[in-house]
Amino acid sequence: MAQQIVIDPVTRIEGHAKITIQLNDAGAVEDAHFHVTQLRGFEKFCEGRPFHEMPSLMARICGICPVSHLVASAKACDALLAVRIPPVAVDLRRILNLAQIAQSHALSFFYLSSPDLLLGMDADPASRNLFGVAQMQPQLARDGVRLRQIGQQIIELLGGKRIHPAWVVPGGVSEPLSADKRDQILAMLPQGVEIAQRTLKWFKSILPNYADEIEAFGSVRTLFMGLTNGPDQLEMYDGFLRIIDADGQLVADQLEPDSYEQFITEMVEPWSFLKSPFYKPFGYPAGIFRVGPLARLNIVKSCGTPLADEALVDFRALDTQSSFHYHYARLIEILYCWEKIDELLHTPDILSDHVRAYAQPNSSEGVGVSEAPRGTLMHHYQIDANGLITRANLIIATGHNNYAMDRGVLEVAKRYVNGAHLSEGMLNRVEAVIRAFDPCLSCSTHAIGQMPLQIQLINTDGQVVHEVKR
Amino acid sequence: MILIIGYGNPLRGDDAIGQRIAERISRHSTRYEVRVLTAYQLTPELVEPISHAQLVVFIDARVDQVVGEILLETVEPLHGAGAFTHNVSPAALLGAARILYGVTPDGLLISIAGTSFDYSGELSPELSLMLPMMTKQVQDIIDTHARATIEKETHHA
């Protein structure tokens, strides 16, 4: 008798989702899906608002990465003003974005995934959390806390507050950087570098324990997409889009982010509120791509900072197709972020007062694209003659990864789930493939650690034949 | 050092009372070394500043009948399992401070009954009216406990 397993909600991710696994009569996995069950509606309810409100409105999409939305939104508004913002404002926005990426990566790695990595996929779920990590390896937990803190403090120093800072505005930033704040930020960076390097060393030491998961998480092959720049280095703020295939061959390069609609479109699947973008010329699903840390490292020649580039050498020796290596890439990017912030803070004019360009709207349409922690983030606005929003299209980083996550769930379920007997560990591996992507389903108000996990085995008559709860 | 953490969502009406009182207290001078933090919710990062404190005072809103009623609870460190992601309890934070940094500051939770937790950037008229008086009450509670904590530490020393 065909059966279905439901994991609802998926835990230790940002937001609400569930996983369903369909079993055939023999109890083997036949199909599986990742369902995003929440609807936000930001694209609709911002219609009619003045465009200059957009950065602050869009930052409210998320309590984890408001800065990413702030930056992409402000870039779209720059395009509406048709201004070239002062170079120092670009550098200051870059620093804010890098701090955001580092602290978000720290949340993902240390708070959400390190319990699986340190305690094991089959560990007791009651202790498989950061508390359990703290008890087993306090230094790892302290490092996670400190890395988050450094990122948040940089955001607070620049933006005035840790969550939803309003410092990034259309045309630049609202205030220049003071020497005192610059020095405070610089003083924190060496510790950030030290922690990132220590964690990378530890992570590399445990990788052999996860050979099976690395292989299982690598069975979905897709394109990769991200921003890159002139010197072919890691780029988080500007530049062109590049797409490569699963073998590392160039598919498309120097793609203008403003023209994304010419080469990217979205597919709606009936099982999810999250759409699946794909590369138009390849069609669906062949044109599916992954974004985020793994994609970013796969598409560039180098990071462009010394220590991150050193770390990249070992990373390149792996099968970097596997989504398990999102964790690895995340750690390298944390290292990169601290190094890059240090570099930017040492640019000669970083304390310049010239940080904002003023203008009225000069264009009826604007696109802003930047890299968020989870990947390429796109904001696209159209306005009327009064500067009121008539259309907003947002393609969120997690959305780009939707199809890859969905197929990842299927492949991992096929490998680990045995319909005859459910174990918590096998279902945790199905969740873990989702966690590797660090999806942000935009729900800052949810107490994710308190959500129950319920897995039901339901027969075709709708009867629950087996249930696991935690 | 006395650490005061006022927390709650400032866009949900009376949920902001913890932050509002903490902000008011931060403007007053006290005889003790005081650090005031405000937050939307308690997060694991707070464990680091907590590890430097002798007394941690959490100020939060609660849903209850008598608007403005102030309740005082001692917070004991939580040991063992518990949710510890980006939304944690005062007890979990004190427990984590012990595990991670080997310290256990005294903990106090001051909760204030609110009446409206709907979308609003303002406190309800009732709590707004009572804000100065409640701040004074909270300040007095903190002073009393700060004195006791400092005396206890001096005695142990």
Side-chain angles (χ1 to χ4, degrees):
Chain A
M1 182 187 294
Q3 295 174 319
Q4 179 177 250
I5 300 167
V6 179
I7 303 175
D8 184 12
V10 179
T11 56
R12 282 187 278 136
I13 61 167
E14 313 295 347
H16 266 172
K18 71 173 181 176
I19 292 168
T20 56
I21 303 168
Q22 314 288 330
L23 306 178
N24 62 21
D25 290 342
V29 172
E30 194 152 277
D31 203 359
H33 285 300
F34 173 61
H35 310 256
V36 177
T37 54
Q38 61 187 84
L39 176 68
R40 302 296 304 282
F42 269 77
E43 288 171 336
K44 290 310 287 181
F45 68 63
C46 66
E47 287 178 5
R49 302 306 307 170
F51 80 93
H52 54 78
E53 287 183 357
M54 290 301 276
S56 289
L57 279 177
M58 294 298 105
R60 264 68 188 181
I61 290 173
C62 187
I64 303 296
C65 43
V67 166
S68 305
H69 287 288
L70 192 62
V71 167
S73 181
K75 287 186 73 179
C77 291
D78 298 342
L80 293 172
L81 301 178
V83 293
R84 197 169 162 191
I85 74 168
V88 176
V90 172
D91 286 345
L92 292 173
R93 285 184 182 181
R94 279 182 191 277
I95 294 169
L96 190 75
N97 199 34
L98 291 165
Q100 161 67 37
I101 289 169
Q103 69 93 12
S104 175
H105 281 358
L107 172 76
S108 169
F109 184 85
F110 291 92
Y111 292 15
L112 305 181
S113 287
S114 79
D116 292 334
L117 301 170
L118 178 69
L119 305 166
M121 298 280 179
D122 296 299
D124 178 1
S127 60
R128 205 175 54 216
N129 50 44
L130 190 59
F131 224 126
V133 171
Q135 283 170 321
M136 184 177 261
Q137 202 164 309
Q139 183 65 51
L140 186 66
R142 276 197 295 270
D143 283 350
V145 166
R146 183 61 188 142
L147 276 191
R148 280 270 290 165
Q149 222 184 11
I150 293 173
Q152 289 177 336
Q153 284 174 352
I154 294 173
I155 292 169
E156 194 169 4
L157 281 166
L158 292 173
K161 52 182 184 174
R162 279 182 294 142
I163 302 173
H164 302 140
W167 176 66
V168 178
V169 292
V173 296
S174 60
E175 273 181 50
L177 177 66
S178 69
D180 177 50
K181 286 182 177 177
R182 177 197 58 189
D183 296 344
Q184 285 187 58
I185 296 171
L186 283 172
M188 289 188 270
L189 298 176
Q191 193 186 11
V193 169
E194 183 194 325
I195 293 172
Q197 287 188 301
R198 177 161 60 231
T199 312
L200 261 169
K201 191 176 170 192
W202 171 76
F203 182 72
K204 282 195 275 188
S205 76
I206 60 147
L207 265 185
N209 305 340
Y210 292 92
D212 201 55
E213 283 83 359
I214 290 169
E215 194 184 318
F217 290 18
S219 46
V220 177
R221 293 170 68 82
T222 67
L223 308 177
F224 290 104
M225 185 184 81
L227 286 174
T228 187
N229 54 27
D232 209 350
Q233 293 169 339
L234 192 53
E235 173 61 54
M236 300 296 194
Y237 179 82
D238 227 333
F240 295 98
L241 288 166
R242 172 179 291 167
I243 298 174
I244 63 167
D245 68 16
D247 298 318
Q249 299 301 309
L250 197 62
V251 169
D253 202 8
Q254 300 283 309
L255 297 169
E256 286 280 0
D258 295 1
S259 311
Y260 75 95
E261 284 182 318
Q262 289 175 18
F263 51 88
I264 290 174
T265 190
E266 297 172 284
M267 175 64 79
V268 178
E269 295 285 11
W271 58 79
S272 181
F273 279 120
L274 193 60
K275 292 185 274 190
S276 299
F278 61 97
Y279 180 56
K280 266 188 195 177
F282 281 20
Y284 182 83
I288 288 301
F289 49 81
R290 279 176 280 177
V291 298
L294 184 67
R296 287 191 287 252
L297 293 192
N298 278 343
I299 65 160
V300 296
K301 274 195 181 147
S302 68
C303 294
T305 60
L307 297 175
D309 276 335
E310 215 176 289
L312 195 61
V313 175
D314 286 347
F315 177 80
R316 292 271 197 245
L318 303 167
D319 170 20
T320 55
Q321 270 294 307
S322 174
S323 293
F324 191 90
H325 291 316
Y326 266 102
H327 299 305
Y328 201 143
R330 220 164 261 132
L331 292 175
I332 294 176
E333 283 198 345
I334 292 175
L335 188 55
Y336 163 82
C337 288
W338 303 140
E339 288 188 285
K340 194 70 186 174
I341 290 173
D342 188 79
E343 181 190 310
L344 289 164
L345 286 174
H346 282 97
T347 52
D349 56 354
I350 196 70
L351 303 180
S352 165
D353 288 342
H354 184 41
V355 291
R356 187 171 183 178
Y358 294 88
Q360 294 296 314
N362 288 299
S363 173
S364 61
E365 194 163 356
V367 175
V369 176
S370 61
E371 288 290 336
R374 292 153 187 86
T376 315
L377 173 62
M378 300 168 159
H379 281 227
H380 181 184
Y381 311 146
Q382 289 171 353
I383 54 173
D384 64 15
N386 297 313
L388 303 179
I389 297 288
T390 55
R391 175 181 175 254
N393 186 33
L394 313 176
I395 305 185
I396 311 298
T398 292
H400 293 299
N401 285 331
N402 191 22
Y403 189 85
M405 287 190 283
D406 189 76
R407 294 302 82 191
V409 163
L410 173 62
E411 295 304 320
V412 173
K414 276 182 179 171
R415 184 150 180 148
Y416 292 106
V417 174
N418 171 0
H421 176 72
L422 286 179
S423 78
E424 208 283 330
M426 68 173 70
L427 294 167
N428 185 44
R429 284 176 175 81
V430 177
E431 290 185 272
V433 70
I434 297 295
R435 273 184 221 120
F437 287 89
D438 185 26
C440 182
L441 308 174
S442 304
C443 197
S444 59
T445 54
H446 283 177
I448 58 168
Q450 295 169 1
M451 291 194 292
L453 171 67
Q454 181 186 21
I455 306 129
Q456 292 181 321
L457 207 56
I458 302 167
N459 67 20
T460 46
D461 299 327
Q463 292 172 316
V464 177
V465 294
H466 190 78
E467 188 173 62
V468 178
K469 282 184 178 176
R470 70 164 183 252
Chain B
M1 186 262 285
I2 313 299
L3 178 65
I4 298 170
I5 304 173
Y7 60 103
N9 188 337
L11 295 178
R12 295 303 293 262
D14 289 346
D15 199 38
I17 188 66
Q19 286 212 28
R20 298 288 290 276
I21 289 181
E23 283 161 3
R24 281 176 161 250
I25 288 174
S26 71
R27 293 196 285 267
H28 299 159
S29 60
T30 66
R31 74 190 78 171
Y32 308 108
E33 184 194 351
V34 172
R35 184 176 177 199
V36 178
L37 297 175
T38 55
Y40 277 58
Q41 60 190 31
L42 299 180
T43 55
E45 297 77 60
L46 289 167
V47 73
E48 200 272 336
I50 283 173
S51 72
H52 301 293
Q54 293 156 291
L55 170 67
V56 186
V57 182
F58 300 92
I59 310 175
D60 193 9
R62 75 172 194 281
V63 181
D64 214 333
Q65 297 297 317
V66 186
V67 182
E69 183 189 44
I70 297 174
L71 282 188
L72 185 63
E73 295 167 57
T74 303
V75 181
E76 296 295 338
L78 176 71
H79 302 289
F84 196 62
T85 50
H86 54 256
N87 182 14
V88 295
S89 68
L93 283 173
L94 292 192
R98 178 177 288 179
I99 294 168
L100 294 183
Y101 301 99
V103 295
T104 313
D106 290 343
L108 209 58
L109 172 62
I110 298 174
S111 65
I112 295 142
T115 179
S116 172
F117 293 84
D118 212 341
Y119 299 115
S120 169
E122 303 294 329
L123 295 174
S124 64
E126 294 94 320
L127 277 198
S128 288
L129 211 62
M130 296 159 81
L131 187 58
M133 182 193 70
M134 286 189 301
T135 305
K136 172 80 173 61
Q137 280 178 284
V138 170
Q139 181 71 67
D140 289 345
I141 292 169
I142 293 171
D143 283 348
T144 305
H145 284 266
R147 196 179 311 122
T149 298
I150 304 288
E151 280 171 9
K152 187 175 75 181
E153 298 226 338
T154 309
H155 180 70
H156 283 305

